[in-house]
Amino acid sequence: MYKHTRALRAALLATCPLFATGLFTPGAHAQDSGTALPAVDVETTGEVTAGSPLAATSLSSADLKASDPTSTDTARVLTSIPGVSVNSGGGFSSMPVIRGLSEQRIKVLVDGQPIDAACPNDMNSPLSYTVPQTLSSVSVIPGVAPVSMGGDNIGGVIAVSGPEPRFSTDGTLLLTGEASAFYRSNGDGFGGAVTLTAAGTNLSATYTGSYTQSDNYKDGGSMGTVRSTEYAKTDHALALAWQNAAGLWEIKGGYHFSPYEGFANQWMDMTSNKSWFVQGRYRGVFDWGNVDLSASYRDTDHEMNFLADKLPGDMPMNTQVHTFTSAAKFELPLSKRDTVKLGLEYHHQWLDDYWPPVEGSAMMSPNTFVNINAAHRNRIGAYAEWQAQWSDTLSSVVGVRYDRVEMNTGDVQPYGTSMMQMADVMAANAFNAIDRNRNDNNWNGSAIVTWAPVDSVSVELGYAHKTRSPNIYERYSWGRGTMASRMIGWFGDGNGYVGNPDLKPERADTVSATLSLAPAQGVSLKVSPYYTHVNDYIDAVYVQDLLTPMGMPTDFVQLQFANLDAEFYGVDVSGEAVLAGTRENGTVVRASLAWVHGENLTEHLPLYHQMPLNAKLGVAHRTGALELGGEVEWVDRKDRVDPRRNEPETASYALVNLRAAYTLAGWRLSVEAQNLFDKGYYLPLGGVSIGDYKATSDLRPVPGMGRSINVGLSTKF
């Protein structure tokens, strides 16, 4: 297969024109119950539009509010899309996975801007800075995404956006907004969100704000409370926009603060995360084409330590990150058929990670442990795409992209020089002695062809060669001591990880197809098979067993990041049928299925954290102001596990969710029962429950949430 994909890649890059374009119009399966299946978007007119891929799924603001109005975790809302799952993190920090490829391999954009990880455990993942209630749209492109959507990824694109600017159309002052609040019985979770807009003909101002918090949740049956699952956070943003004859000018700033967030599958918890940002954008439409200019800056201060669930103790870990991003994008219509898109991007990340000494500790003193010393990761990229509308029934998009990634970091130091710290002393000396400057030259290409031979059938074929360079922690984490290495890793397995400065970029070749059918009025089906081969996939190799300070064995091992070869293949299926009335006002049955197989080709082992076969079947009914719905969610047994990480197996399970809503005088009241029968189950991608392990010495997978009765109230004005 590698020979075939190499030949395809060579053919693609040889035929890509110098200038080509982007496509995308902004607009998984759930491990926790409660995310309703989205509508299946299927082209039924016999026409296709270049730049609107069949494989993409978009959720509107209405979709987000209707599917799960009480959710505080945007990533988990996306699991309603077949092929999307999540690796468990904190209560609002799940890490999305697309077709077996984890968040670090996905381009996640918030209002068009990337947000870098600012934590050795990825506790502040990009989507943790959002809440579903204040988003206007979410779009997911799996696998073969156009190169204009960004480089430095191999798994696809997730783009979420806040409210677009609104202006008065009649010369009067426009005042509008939305407000919502919710309560969840499991964990006593509650929160609220508000969006307010004041606008004239040319000037618009929009404020969005939210707050949410929860205690530890209880799992199903008699399994008890899941420790380290509490959280609290607030987000605020103000966006100003001005439109005139020259175009649309926007500036937006915001602040995020989380005073605490427990992590059931990590040794540490988040004890503070403060982040502020400012970004500007200009969009103009001219006779010769369109222009989109943007720039953003984000500053993040992140702290980790132990919350009360993880027993008394103190081990402060601090991370500071500054990022700057800028982009210039141009869309040039050359003819009625052909459009060219060109772009330049620059992204700068600066990261400092240090652990202050702990008074009275023999292992964690007398010095500050310098884990990452003023590292930088700079990326400059350029792309070109050619978008062609050959006819009403045939379109294509072909693109090529180049990214140069430059990385370096300063000298490091351990806590001290005693015999107990000798593993880290030797590792620091070795790390400081090498040249740590690394430069990667990454090429990417993609080609997508969409054809609608008849009114009821659309077919899309895609191929992409994508490249991702290692992140800062994968290349520059250096600690070899048991404690130091266990602080590194976003895998939730309790193991220790060591960086590798000699890592090569991941290079992935993906072939995918999408078949959309509408065999009868009100009936639709979408089937998407795919195959991805990754050269130099960043996995890990065994180093040693981890021991206690007294030299006793533990349940965990130490691993080092390493390049291996891997493959992923599978299929996503979704469909719906209108049983009575219409999709908008009637009874609709929806179903989905997702299956992925991830394989470590170098060692012939299953890859870590691969979602087992899963399916959903749901029904939704709407009559005027009344909405009713429910679904059954089934997940197969997870027995393909990574033995190097001691990944636990999990049993199959089925969950039942019911919901109802009623709208009266502009107010929408919703009630739902998640996990109606209080089924006890373990999360297939939840990792191991470290919070429970530290309290009980019982090592088990992270349990899923038990029954929860949720109430939501929202209005528009």
Short mmCIF file of all heavy atoms in Angstrom, two decimals, residues 111 131 133-136 162-163 178 193-197 205-210 234-239 252-255 277:
data_model
loop_
_atom_site.label_atom_id
_atom_site.label_comp_id
_atom_site.label_asym_id
_atom_site.label_seq_id
_atom_site.Cartn_x
_atom_site.Cartn_y
_atom_site.Cartn_z
N ASP A 111 -12.69 30.71 15.79
CA ASP A 111 -12.82 31.98 15.06
C ASP A 111 -11.68 32.14 14.06
O ASP A 111 -11.12 33.23 13.90
CB ASP A 111 -12.86 33.16 16.03
CG ASP A 111 -14.18 33.26 16.77
OD1 ASP A 111 -15.20 32.84 16.22
OD2 ASP A 111 -14.17 33.74 17.93
N VAL A 131 -17.74 27.42 24.64
CA VAL A 131 -18.91 26.73 25.18
C VAL A 131 -19.93 26.64 24.05
O VAL A 131 -20.08 27.58 23.25
CB VAL A 131 -19.52 27.46 26.40
CG1 VAL A 131 -18.58 27.38 27.58
CG2 VAL A 131 -19.86 28.89 26.07
N GLN A 133 -23.05 26.96 23.90
CA GLN A 133 -24.18 27.90 23.93
C GLN A 133 -23.87 29.24 23.27
O GLN A 133 -24.79 29.99 22.94
CB GLN A 133 -24.64 28.13 25.37
CG GLN A 133 -25.32 26.94 26.02
CD GLN A 133 -24.34 25.89 26.50
OE1 GLN A 133 -23.14 26.13 26.58
NE2 GLN A 133 -24.85 24.71 26.83
N THR A 134 -22.60 29.61 23.10
CA THR A 134 -22.27 30.90 22.49
C THR A 134 -21.64 30.75 21.11
O THR A 134 -21.16 31.73 20.54
CB THR A 134 -21.31 31.71 23.39
OG1 THR A 134 -20.10 30.97 23.59
CG2 THR A 134 -21.95 31.99 24.74
N LEU A 135 -21.65 29.54 20.55
CA LEU A 135 -21.11 29.32 19.21
C LEU A 135 -22.22 29.50 18.17
O LEU A 135 -23.38 29.17 18.41
CB LEU A 135 -20.52 27.92 19.09
CG LEU A 135 -19.29 27.62 19.95
CD1 LEU A 135 -18.87 26.17 19.79
CD2 LEU A 135 -18.14 28.56 19.61
N SER A 136 -21.83 29.99 17.00
CA SER A 136 -22.80 30.13 15.91
C SER A 136 -22.70 28.98 14.93
O SER A 136 -23.68 28.68 14.23
CB SER A 136 -22.60 31.45 15.18
OG SER A 136 -21.33 31.48 14.54
N GLY A 162 -17.76 31.95 16.77
CA GLY A 162 -18.72 32.69 17.54
C GLY A 162 -19.66 33.45 16.62
O GLY A 162 -19.63 33.30 15.39
N PRO A 163 -20.52 34.30 17.18
CA PRO A 163 -21.50 35.02 16.36
C PRO A 163 -20.84 35.91 15.31
O PRO A 163 -19.86 36.61 15.59
CB PRO A 163 -22.27 35.86 17.38
CG PRO A 163 -22.03 35.18 18.70
CD PRO A 163 -20.66 34.60 18.61
N GLU A 178 -29.36 36.50 23.12
CA GLU A 178 -29.82 35.20 23.57
C GLU A 178 -29.31 34.98 24.99
O GLU A 178 -28.25 35.50 25.36
CB GLU A 178 -29.29 34.08 22.67
CG GLU A 178 -29.70 34.16 21.23
CD GLU A 178 -29.15 33.02 20.41
OE1 GLU A 178 -28.82 31.96 21.00
OE2 GLU A 178 -29.01 33.18 19.18
N ALA A 193 -25.23 31.24 29.92
CA ALA A 193 -24.52 31.94 28.86
C ALA A 193 -25.40 33.04 28.31
O ALA A 193 -26.64 32.95 28.35
CB ALA A 193 -24.12 30.97 27.75
N VAL A 194 -24.78 34.07 27.78
CA VAL A 194 -25.52 35.20 27.22
C VAL A 194 -24.77 35.75 26.02
O VAL A 194 -23.53 35.76 25.98
CB VAL A 194 -25.73 36.30 28.28
CG1 VAL A 194 -24.41 36.88 28.74
CG2 VAL A 194 -26.65 37.40 27.75
N THR A 195 -25.52 36.16 25.01
CA THR A 195 -24.99 36.85 23.84
C THR A 195 -25.81 38.11 23.63
O THR A 195 -27.04 38.05 23.54
CB THR A 195 -25.06 35.97 22.58
OG1 THR A 195 -24.30 34.78 22.78
CG2 THR A 195 -24.52 36.71 21.37
N LEU A 196 -25.16 39.27 23.58
CA LEU A 196 -25.84 40.56 23.43
C LEU A 196 -25.22 41.32 22.27
O LEU A 196 -23.98 41.42 22.17
CB LEU A 196 -25.71 41.40 24.71
CG LEU A 196 -26.27 40.79 26.00
CD1 LEU A 196 -25.89 41.65 27.19
CD2 LEU A 196 -27.78 40.64 25.91
N THR A 197 -26.06 41.86 21.40
CA THR A 197 -25.59 42.64 20.25
C THR A 197 -26.30 43.98 20.20
O THR A 197 -27.54 44.04 20.32
CB THR A 197 -25.82 41.88 18.94
OG1 THR A 197 -25.05 40.68 18.92
CG2 THR A 197 -25.45 42.73 17.74
N ALA A 205 -21.49 45.82 17.95
CA ALA A 205 -20.78 45.34 19.13
C ALA A 205 -21.51 44.12 19.68
O ALA A 205 -22.73 44.16 19.86
CB ALA A 205 -20.69 46.43 20.20
N THR A 206 -20.76 43.04 19.95
CA THR A 206 -21.36 41.81 20.47
C THR A 206 -20.56 41.32 21.66
O THR A 206 -19.34 41.15 21.57
CB THR A 206 -21.39 40.70 19.39
OG1 THR A 206 -22.21 41.13 18.30
CG2 THR A 206 -21.96 39.41 19.97
N TYR A 207 -21.26 41.09 22.76
CA TYR A 207 -20.66 40.53 23.96
C TYR A 207 -21.15 39.09 24.14
O TYR A 207 -22.34 38.81 23.99
CB TYR A 207 -21.01 41.34 25.20
CG TYR A 207 -20.74 40.61 26.51
CD1 TYR A 207 -19.46 40.53 27.04
CD2 TYR A 207 -21.78 39.95 27.18
CE1 TYR A 207 -19.20 39.84 28.21
CE2 TYR A 207 -21.54 39.26 28.36
CZ TYR A 207 -20.25 39.20 28.87
OH TYR A 207 -20.00 38.50 30.03
N THR A 208 -20.24 38.18 24.45
CA THR A 208 -20.61 36.82 24.82
C THR A 208 -19.95 36.49 26.15
O THR A 208 -18.80 36.84 26.40
CB THR A 208 -20.14 35.79 23.77
OG1 THR A 208 -18.72 35.92 23.56
CG2 THR A 208 -20.85 36.00 22.44
N GLY A 209 -20.71 35.84 27.01
CA GLY A 209 -20.19 35.47 28.32
C GLY A 209 -20.83 34.19 28.81
O GLY A 209 -21.96 33.86 28.43
N SER A 210 -20.11 33.46 29.65
CA SER A 210 -20.65 32.21 30.18
C SER A 210 -19.95 31.86 31.49
O SER A 210 -18.82 32.30 31.75
CB SER A 210 -20.46 31.06 29.19
OG SER A 210 -19.07 30.79 28.98
N THR A 234 -15.12 30.38 33.49
CA THR A 234 -15.88 31.49 32.93
C THR A 234 -15.16 32.01 31.70
O THR A 234 -13.92 31.97 31.62
CB THR A 234 -16.06 32.61 33.97
OG1 THR A 234 -16.89 33.63 33.42
CG2 THR A 234 -14.73 33.22 34.37
N ASP A 235 -15.93 32.48 30.72
CA ASP A 235 -15.38 33.03 29.47
C ASP A 235 -16.13 34.31 29.13
O ASP A 235 -17.37 34.38 29.27
CB ASP A 235 -15.54 32.03 28.32
CG ASP A 235 -14.68 30.79 28.49
OD1 ASP A 235 -13.51 30.84 28.09
OD2 ASP A 235 -15.18 29.79 29.01
N HIS A 236 -15.38 35.30 28.66
CA HIS A 236 -15.97 36.57 28.25
C HIS A 236 -15.28 37.05 26.98
O HIS A 236 -14.06 36.88 26.83
CB HIS A 236 -15.81 37.64 29.34
CG HIS A 236 -16.37 37.25 30.66
ND1 HIS A 236 -17.69 37.43 30.99
CD2 HIS A 236 -15.78 36.66 31.75
CE1 HIS A 236 -17.90 36.99 32.21
NE2 HIS A 236 -16.76 36.50 32.69
N ALA A 237 -16.05 37.65 26.07
CA ALA A 237 -15.46 38.19 24.84
C ALA A 237 -16.30 39.37 24.36
O ALA A 237 -17.53 39.39 24.52
CB ALA A 237 -15.38 37.13 23.75
N LEU A 238 -15.63 40.35 23.77
CA LEU A 238 -16.29 41.51 23.18
C LEU A 238 -15.77 41.66 21.76
O LEU A 238 -14.56 41.74 21.53
CB LEU A 238 -16.01 42.77 23.98
CG LEU A 238 -16.61 44.07 23.42
CD1 LEU A 238 -18.14 44.00 23.41
CD2 LEU A 238 -16.12 45.28 24.22
N ALA A 239 -16.70 41.70 20.80
CA ALA A 239 -16.34 41.83 19.38
C ALA A 239 -16.93 43.12 18.82
O ALA A 239 -18.12 43.39 18.99
CB ALA A 239 -16.85 40.63 18.59
N LYS A 252 -11.63 41.69 18.13
CA LYS A 252 -12.27 40.91 19.19
C LYS A 252 -11.26 40.62 20.27
O LYS A 252 -10.09 40.30 19.98
CB LYS A 252 -12.83 39.59 18.62
CG LYS A 252 -13.58 38.74 19.63
CD LYS A 252 -14.17 37.50 18.95
CE LYS A 252 -14.99 36.66 19.92
NZ LYS A 252 -15.60 35.48 19.25
N GLY A 253 -11.68 40.72 21.51
CA GLY A 253 -10.82 40.39 22.65
C GLY A 253 -11.60 39.60 23.67
O GLY A 253 -12.83 39.71 23.75
N GLY A 254 -10.89 38.80 24.46
CA GLY A 254 -11.60 37.98 25.44
C GLY A 254 -10.71 37.51 26.56
O GLY A 254 -9.48 37.63 26.51
N TYR A 255 -11.36 36.96 27.59
CA TYR A 255 -10.66 36.49 28.78
C TYR A 255 -11.30 35.19 29.24
O TYR A 255 -12.54 35.05 29.28
CB TYR A 255 -10.75 37.53 29.90
CG TYR A 255 -10.11 37.10 31.21
CD1 TYR A 255 -8.73 37.04 31.34
CD2 TYR A 255 -10.89 36.77 32.31
CE1 TYR A 255 -8.14 36.65 32.53
CE2 TYR A 255 -10.31 36.39 33.51
CZ TYR A 255 -8.93 36.33 33.61
OH TYR A 255 -8.36 35.93 34.80
N PHE A 277 -6.89 37.13 24.99
CA PHE A 277 -6.51 37.21 23.58
C PHE A 277 -7.08 38.48 22.96
O PHE A 277 -8.04 39.09 23.46
CB PHE A 277 -7.03 36.00 22.81
CG PHE A 277 -8.52 36.02 22.57
CD1 PHE A 277 -9.06 36.57 21.40
CD2 PHE A 277 -9.41 35.49 23.51
CE1 PHE A 277 -10.43 36.60 21.19
CE2 PHE A 277 -10.78 35.52 23.31
CZ PHE A 277 -11.29 36.07 22.14
#
